[in-house]
Amino acid sequence: MTKSVEEFDAVIIGAGFAGLYTLYRLRELGLRCRVFEAGEGVGGAWYWNRYPGARCDSESYFYCYSFSDEILQEWTWSEKFPAQPEIERYLNFVADRLDLRKDIKVASRVTSAIYDDAALRWTVSTQAGDKVTTRYLVTAIGGLTATAPNLPDIDGLETFEGRWYHTGHWPRQGVDFTGKRVGVIGTGSTGIQAIPVIAQQASELTVFQRTPAYIMPARNAPLAPHEVAEIKGRYPEIWRKAKAHRGGQPYDPPTLAFADVDECEARRLQEEYWQRGGLRVVQLFNDVYSNPQSRAFTEAFFREKVRQIVKDPATAEILEPKGYPIGAKRIALDSQYYETFNLPHVHVVDARSKPIRRVTPAGIRAGDRDYPLDIIVFATGYDAVTGPFRAIDIRGRDGIALADRLAEGPRAYLGMSFAGFPNLFAVSGPCNPALSTNVPVSIEHDVEWIADAIAHCEANGVRAMEPTEEAEDAWTEDTQARIAGTIFEQADSWQFGSNVPGKPRRFLLWLGGLTEFRERCGAVARAGYEGFRLTR
Ligand code: N01
């Protein structure tokens, strides 16, 4: 007897910030939903990213959902910058509070989603053996995830006699570095968070740095009860500001230009911001990215800070950010990163002048030296944005493979839909601003827009909705056009896909900012879903 295939109105892939909220909104529409999640619990990126020191660079009070007053009032953040376990606990709290678990199947990695042109339905299969059909398919798979790590193809890794880990796929039970000689490859946001924590246990820590990052002190601290009460009391204002901000943050845009103050005052202000900590240090001047003088001043300030903190001049010189403009790669927040290099057992290798040649059974060979290691940590990032889509076999009308379409570079309409893939919606897909913003605010926007689009289909007898090729082409071209002349062109980064050998150098994010994005998507909906083909 053949097993009957379960039918859903909506299948959602992923149970992180995006998937949980999508489930909530689509259930509110009365749809029968199923979430498939690869991890053994909810959390998405915050389930997998449990490497030492994993923490959010956005402040906790606005790195969360805004849609529920009850959740905002009932949940209390303990720190200014929340660590991974607390964010994972928060997402579990939300899942329980909204009774979401009954529609979530964990430990079920989606392997394929195949569209049936005749039935206008998707068939979704998982590694756990599920096979279901659905009318709507929503991907909530994130853009920087364990499904698509960037693991450099370094000769000899298979011969290594120690253990190695990628930060995006960290063992749940943790890793004990006590007494171990550890090598960390990569000094992006992740490496910068992990290195000071690993250094506390390791007997010897060697950091292989190819490009020095621009780094600001987080100055993380516990949140006092009076601060929590003050935040909870002004949430309406916080969200009004965040949603009117191009980066989804509740900050006033900087009004000061570099030329407004003399150099002495500029230094005083910069120092004040540095002492306060957080990403705002770089937001002192409104022309830091556009005025070469403003930029040069800010970059020099950062380099001077490294020389002040790091005692050994040769080490400081390697760590000083240089070679590309500030902001062209993501700026990182640290807790004791530079100070860590003052410890006698911590060393940095300039992997630009002494490239990693191979992994040997005993460690890493870089330049003409061998570094004996017990553990190698790859903090080498992700095959971002298109990688997670390409990891699933998604086939649309006429069997076209999304992986093939995205192999040539990012493309999508409104960063949320693909021509040839009816009723498939992507939260924070390619050509979307989300990863250049405070992500939960972007996610809420996308989920609400998608839920409205689905409600429109349900109310108007629309059986299938997909963007036209022309609309997708125009949005994709606009995504690339917005990069021209910006500082982003002057660095290799995951945003460009240039961190992954062979990946086309095409910008993955739409840079218009969240406010313009909100207006553009709203206008499309108000015009009866302009740019979409609606099949009744
Ligand atoms: O990855 P990255 P990440 N040999 O790609 C180096 C988000 N995030 O995981 O710059 C030697 O930024 C590479 O060197 P280079 C955030 O959006 C958020 O750190 O290519 N080195 C670089 O130093 C972030 O931007 C939070 O020259 C190699 C590093 O590895 C994104 O995730 C916290 C190499 C990779 O840096 C990715 O950050 C953490 C090789 N073969 C991360 N290959 C939050 O706060 C790569 N590298 C929410």
Side-chain angles (χ1 to χ4, degrees), residues 361-389:
I364 284 179
R365 184 170 305 150
D368 53 9
R369 251 196 78 179
D370 281 312
Y371 297 85
L373 301 169
D374 302 307
I375 299 177
I376 300 173
V377 175
F378 288 90
T380 44
Y382 301 91
D383 176 356
V385 180
T386 49
F389 285 94

Side-chain angles (χ1 to χ4, degrees), residues 242-491:
K243 288 176 188 183
H245 185 275
R246 60 173 284 123
Q249 296 155 337
Y251 298 148
D252 294 319
T255 52
L256 193 69
F258 183 61
D260 291 343
V261 290
D262 62 23
E263 189 157 335
C264 185
E265 179 64 359
R267 288 187 69 79
R268 191 192 66 75
L269 287 170
Q270 196 72 276
E271 184 63 34
E272 191 182 304
Y273 272 56
W274 179 273
Q275 292 308 333
R276 219 184 297 159
L279 282 171
R280 300 190 75 180
V281 183
V282 84
Q283 293 160 356
L284 167 60
F285 297 119
N286 60 10
D287 54 1
V288 64
Y289 301 130
S290 57
N291 170 356
Q293 279 179 313
S294 181
R295 195 173 84 204
F297 171 84
T298 309
E299 290 173 354
F301 179 86
F302 275 77
R303 285 196 274 273
E304 193 184 314
K305 281 292 167 198
V306 181
R307 291 195 296 274
Q308 279 173 10
I309 302 168
V310 179
K311 298 204 172 91
D312 172 41
T315 303
E317 200 189 332
I318 296 172
L319 294 172
E320 273 178 38
K322 53 185 153 318
Y324 64 97
I326 190 167
K329 285 161 95 80
R330 189 178 180 284
I331 295 165
L333 286 191
D334 83 303
S335 296
Q336 301 290 302
Y337 178 72
Y338 290 127
E339 289 82 351
T340 297
F341 290 89
N342 290 331
L343 300 171
H345 68 293
V346 180
H347 321 282
V348 63
V349 173
D350 177 7
R352 181 79 57 188
S353 63
K354 298 181 183 68
I356 297 175
R357 299 200 186 282
R358 62 177 297 113
V359 175
T360 66
I364 284 179
R365 184 170 305 150
D368 53 9
R369 251 196 78 179
D370 281 312
Y371 297 85
L373 301 169
D374 302 307
I375 299 177
I376 300 173
V377 175
F378 288 90
T380 44
Y382 301 91
D383 176 356
V385 180
T386 49
F389 285 94
R390 299 189 67 217
I392 305 172
D393 184 16
I394 300 176
R395 287 173 195 265
R397 268 193 298 105
D398 307 321
I400 35 172
L402 189 57
D404 291 345
R405 303 267 310 201
L406 296 178
E408 284 151 33
R411 52 182 308 113
Y413 180 43
L414 305 179
M416 290 189 274
S417 60
F418 306 101
F421 296 81
N423 288 353
L424 165 58
F425 298 96
V427 184
S428 319
C431 308
N432 184 295
L435 290 178
S436 64
T437 72
N438 173 38
V439 178
V441 172
S442 282
I443 283 176
E444 283 191 338
H445 165 271
D446 287 9
V447 170
E448 287 160 15
W449 191 92
I450 291 166
D452 287 349
I454 291 176
H456 177 86
C457 292
E458 293 289 296
N460 294 283
V462 175
R463 294 185 302 144
M465 164 172 182
E466 69 169 291
T468 63
E469 290 276 350
E470 296 72 36
E472 184 182 279
D473 284 348
W475 187 267
T476 301
E477 279 160 27
D478 184 47
T479 301
Q480 300 311 319
R482 282 169 189 266
I483 296 306
T486 69
I487 51 164
F488 291 100
E489 287 188 311
Q490 297 176 46

Side-chain angles (χ1 to χ4, degrees), residues 46 49 51 55-58 63 144 150 152-154 166-167 185-193 208-211 329-330 351-352 356 379-382 435 492-495 499:
W46 294 107
N49 267 287
Y51 60 84
R55 192 176 284 287
C56 183
D57 284 353
S58 285
Y63 191 81
L144 297 156
N150 176 34
D153 187 15
I154 302 175
H166 187 280
T167 48
I185 303 176
T187 53
S189 309
T190 300
I192 287 158
Q193 291 181 339
F208 297 87
Q209 172 206 270
R210 194 164 60 182
T211 309
K329 285 161 95 80
R330 189 178 180 284
R352 181 79 57 188
I356 297 175
T380 44
Y382 301 91
L435 290 178
D492 283 328
S493 64
W494 63 259
Q495 286 105 319
N499 61 331

